[in-house]
Amino acid sequence: MPQLTINGETYDFEKGETILQVALRNEVEIPHYCYHPGLSIVANCRICLAEVWAPNAKTGTLEPGAKLFPTCQHPAAEGQVVHTESPKAISNQKSVMEYLLINHPVDCPVCDQAGECHLQDYSYQYGRGQSRFQEQKDKKPKKDLGPHVLLYSDRCIMCTRCVRFTREVTGTGELLVEGRGSTEQIDIFPGVALDNELSGNVIDICPVGALLDKDFLFQQRVWFLKKTPSIDGITASGDNISVEHNEGRVYRVKPRHNAEVNQWWITDEVRYGWKFVHREDRLLLPTVKGVEYWPLEAAAEAWATALERTNALLESVASGASGASAANGASAANGASAANGAGEGKSAAGANSVPGRNTTKRIGLLVSPMLSCEDAFWLARWVRAIDANATLAVGPVPRMGTDRAFPSGFTVSAEKAPNARGVRRVLEALGGASVLDADALLAEVQKGAIGAAVVTGNYPSGWVTPAMRAALSSVPFILIDTLPNELSSLADVVIPGAAWVEKEGCFENRNGRIQAFERAFAPVDFARAEAQIALDLLAQLDGAIPAAYSAASTRSEMAKSGLTGFSAIHETPARATTEPDMVYIEI
Ligand code: SF4
Ligand code: FES
């Protein structure tokens, strides 16, 4: 393999690599602004220039290049010797930094990029430390580029990454360079906003604080953010993301590079789709029909009652208990539903409970494709522990149109659920090939074959159809969900679940790739991960102490149960959650 030397160290390289690419692959720092691995190479910022010596083709003697070369563009060659720390290279770095800062407002204290700004970092590492510029600075305007992006023109260093992104990745070409010399500015064409499905990526690739996220503007200093590796929990893309959060609150979602899935990019839908996690009306405590609402202080009692009622209701159906209300102790004479305590309109619960009628009714479990494989596993285990022949089904899978590919190959997923395939894989492994879809399960309910249902939601927006509501109004059912909806008032027991950022697990994306994600923070208030809820319900059945849910132990349990595919799971990077580099100190 050919080799070159950078600052005295020798490195192998592949034919076609540039000097900067070899350096970056080997974690050798060479400052760079305009180079981005996902974009064409233009070599216009000039900070990466280095002294490059190469062997003379005839004599083999090492000779210096006639000038400094841009390492981002200059191909690596056998025997090359590169100096980025020589007096000439350092002099260039200092000059470039000085030019870039001439008209820069140096407003780091109020800039969102402070703490993750290449201009700030390189100024410290490669700059002069003081300005020699005494004249008036050129002032440039702030511009509203589109629904998500603001441009603070006077912070721009004209690297053109953003322009190349809209030309090469999205092919939408909204951005351009307008003007010449010191009056050059990034702009949009009149009346054409930066409004494509990937627009937020220009914020990530801007190496300075020029392109800003309206949603994140002045929300948080970046050095307080923890970064948790995660997977898109909104669509079936499986895009690798980093959830950036502080004190139990998401502040932004950024892409994590994965060459096999999403490269460097995510859609705006994935970037901003987490808002439902912090909705004011999140379900915080269980509710049981016929029981007064509990205050938050009575959370333990609420959970104990909800778990007990839930199991009692399902057991009464599974055992075909006739008449007697197994769960609430109510009189059988009124034909009330076993657990709802109210029973109006739900006497079909007891179609099971008609005296003298032998039950053939099953429990139905509808597992949402928003849930993880581990959630699906424990929910199915729990329901099957009560009714070994429970009917298993995958919840509704929302779709919007068809998959759309950008010129770069990046594809926007039409399927708006992260784990339809993973949930089906788990349920089929546990329940055979007879796993239904949501409509088929509802048809079973309407036929009277289902005596009680467990329904899981966890969708970021409305998902309950009139047909679903009509079908479920005829049987007692348990709802496990994160947000209130048209089923909440109908359900016999409502149990608050956890959004994907509040738990760990794995999703299988639209291409059958199973990827793990980590928990960013604990579920809101008294909500619990669905897998934990199922474990608690299993323990309640046996009067045992509930096991604490963990994705790792669940996966070994899944392996013991013969579930295939989970040995090839794609784990998150070894360096998991990144702690902030600054913490509050109480004084
Ligand atoms: S706005 Fe940012 S990405 Fe675009 S040219 Fe300026 S510095 Fe580069
Ligand atoms: S990174 Fe090489 S010239 Fe900009």
Side-chain angles (χ1 to χ4, degrees):
M1 186 167 266
Q3 290 185 319
L4 56 58
T5 304
I6 305 174
N7 297 336
E9 294 287 333
T10 304
Y11 301 101
D12 294 341
F13 66 89
E14 303 276 353
K15 198 164 180 297
E17 279 187 301
T18 66
I19 296 170
L20 181 63
Q21 285 165 343
V22 179
L24 294 177
R25 188 164 48 72
N26 289 287
E27 298 185 358
V28 176
E29 183 173 308
I30 299 179
H32 57 282
Y33 287 120
C34 65
Y35 172 77
H36 186 285
L39 302 173
S40 61
I41 296 173
V42 289
N44 66 3
C45 76
R46 316 308 283 178
I47 187 104
C48 73
L49 267 52
E51 241 183 281
V52 179
W53 294 56
N56 182 302
K58 287 185 188 148
T59 63
T61 323
L62 207 55
E63 293 176 354
K67 55 182 182 175
L68 297 179
F69 289 105
T71 55
C72 64
Q73 196 177 45
H74 202 67
E78 175 67 42
Q80 243 171 16
V81 177
V82 180
H83 299 282
T84 70
E85 294 168 351
S86 68
K88 278 188 192 168
I90 289 173
S91 165
N92 173 71
Q93 291 156 4
K94 286 191 185 306
S95 301
V96 170
M97 285 309 303
E98 187 169 32
Y99 269 110
L100 290 178
L101 289 170
I102 279 179
N103 286 309
H104 189 279
V106 198
D107 55 348
C108 305
V110 294
C111 178
D112 267 359
Q113 190 90 356
E116 56 183 12
C117 175
H118 287 210
L119 195 62
Q120 208 175 37
D121 293 346
Y122 292 168
S123 188
Y124 180 72
Q125 289 171 267
Y126 305 103
R128 285 180 186 277
Q130 63 188 59
S131 172
R132 296 182 292 175
F133 190 71
Q134 303 294 327
E135 292 76 11
Q136 276 292 80
K137 291 186 183 230
D138 268 355
K139 290 205 174 66
K140 291 180 188 152
K142 296 180 175 60
K143 297 174 186 172
D144 187 349
L145 298 186
H148 302 297
V149 186
L150 286 175
L151 169 65
Y152 280 39
S153 305
D154 50 7
R155 295 179 189 158
C156 173
I157 59 167
M158 298 307 300
C159 71
T160 71
R161 281 185 181 191
C162 54
V163 176
R164 281 175 282 146
F165 178 84
T166 61
R167 290 179 186 175
E168 297 164 12
V169 178
T170 61
T172 46
E174 297 100 329
L175 296 177
L176 72 148
V177 177
E178 188 252 349
R180 284 284 181 276
S182 69
T183 64
E184 256 188 349
Q185 286 179 37
I186 298 298
D187 213 335
I188 46 175
F189 290 97
V192 183
L194 174 62
D195 188 10
N196 62 65
E197 287 168 291
L198 301 183
S199 71
N201 292 286
V202 297
I203 302 158
D204 304 331
I205 61 174
C206 180
V208 299
L211 292 173
L212 298 171
D213 190 339
K214 288 183 185 176
D215 193 62
F216 184 67
L217 194 68
F218 307 137
Q219 291 300 305
Q220 188 80 178
R221 302 315 319 227
V222 298
W223 49 85
F224 291 130
L225 294 175
K226 299 184 189 74
K227 299 175 184 174
T228 301
S230 187
I231 299 297
D232 165 17
I234 306 293
T235 78
S237 71
D239 288 352
N240 289 212
I241 58 171
S242 171
V243 176
E244 303 199 2
H245 55 100
N246 188 15
E247 300 192 333
R249 201 167 183 86
V250 181
Y251 282 92
R252 62 181 183 181
V253 161
K254 294 261 187 192
R256 269 190 302 127
H257 174 245
N258 187 325
E260 292 168 44
V261 185
N262 53 307
Q263 300 162 322
W264 297 267
W265 326 119
I266 52 172
T267 59
D268 292 349
E269 181 182 27
V270 173
R271 186 180 299 271
Y272 303 112
W274 51 268
K275 296 297 175 70
F276 77 100
V277 173
H278 301 302
R279 253 174 62 173
E280 289 290 317
D281 57 349
R282 272 285 299 271
L283 299 172
L284 305 177
L285 266 190
T287 53
V288 174
K289 197 176 248 183
V291 178
E292 282 289 316
Y293 285 98
W294 287 280
L296 288 180
E297 304 79 65
E301 184 192 340
W303 270 102
T305 310
L307 298 178
E308 185 193 319
R309 292 287 175 94
T310 296
N311 277 335
L313 185 149
L314 299 189
E315 283 181 310
S316 72
V317 171
S319 63
S322 58
S325 171
N328 65 1
S331 159
N334 63 10
S337 158
N340 66 13
E344 302 97 304
K346 295 266 190 101
S347 53
N352 240 359
S353 60
V354 176
R357 178 169 168 180
N358 237 348
T359 183
T360 54
K361 290 179 186 289
R362 302 264 66 91
I363 296 172
L365 169 65
L366 189 67
V367 183
S368 166
M370 307 306 292
L371 300 188
S372 68
C373 296
E374 292 82 354
D375 289 333
F377 177 76
W378 286 119
L379 285 166
R381 267 283 184 91
W382 156 59
V383 167
R384 283 280 165 105
I386 298 172
D387 175 2
N389 296 309
T391 305
L392 308 180
V394 182
V397 183
R399 286 188 71 85
M400 282 177 65
T402 52
D403 288 355
R404 288 177 308 292
F406 282 96
S408 59
F410 185 92
T411 302
V412 179
S413 174
E415 192 173 305
K416 306 304 182 191
N419 198 31
R421 283 154 199 78
V423 166
R424 182 167 287 279
R425 181 191 291 270
V426 171
L427 297 187
E428 283 180 353
L430 296 178
S434 58
V435 172
L436 306 180
D437 63 19
D439 288 343
L441 182 78
L442 294 177
E444 290 292 298
V445 172
Q446 277 168 328
K447 275 196 310 202
I450 301 293
V454 177
V455 178
T456 58
N458 217 322
Y459 295 85
S461 54
W463 60 283
V464 179
T465 61
M468 183 181 291
R469 189 180 150 85
L472 288 171
S473 62
S474 65
V475 287
F477 72 97
I478 314 300
L479 176 66
I480 304 176
D481 211 341
T482 46
L483 297 170
N485 55 47
E486 297 87 334
L487 296 181
S488 316
S489 57
L490 275 184
D492 296 82
V493 182
V494 179
I495 301 180
W500 97 105
V501 294
E502 297 169 329
K503 58 191 175 188
E504 57 182 12
C506 63
F507 291 147
E508 179 172 347
N509 80 352
R510 63 172 186 261
N511 298 319
R513 182 185 172 96
I514 305 174
Q515 301 178 106
F517 57 92
E518 293 184 11
R519 183 175 98 155
F521 44 79
V524 61
D525 281 341
F526 300 101
R528 294 179 189 176
E530 283 78 349
Q532 184 65 63
I533 294 168
L535 283 166
D536 294 347
L537 285 158
L538 270 168
Q540 200 277 336
L541 284 176
D542 301 335
I545 296 172
Y549 163 67
S550 100
S553 58
T554 299
R555 279 178 219 142
S556 50
E557 195 64 33
M558 287 158 80
K560 278 189 231 156
S561 303
L563 268 78
T564 56
F566 293 93
S567 52
I569 193 165
H570 295 269
E571 294 288 350
T572 52
R575 228 184 72 204
T577 295
T578 312
E579 291 299 319
D581 53 8
M582 191 175 283
V583 290
Y584 286 113
I585 297 174
E586 295 279 343
I587 298 177

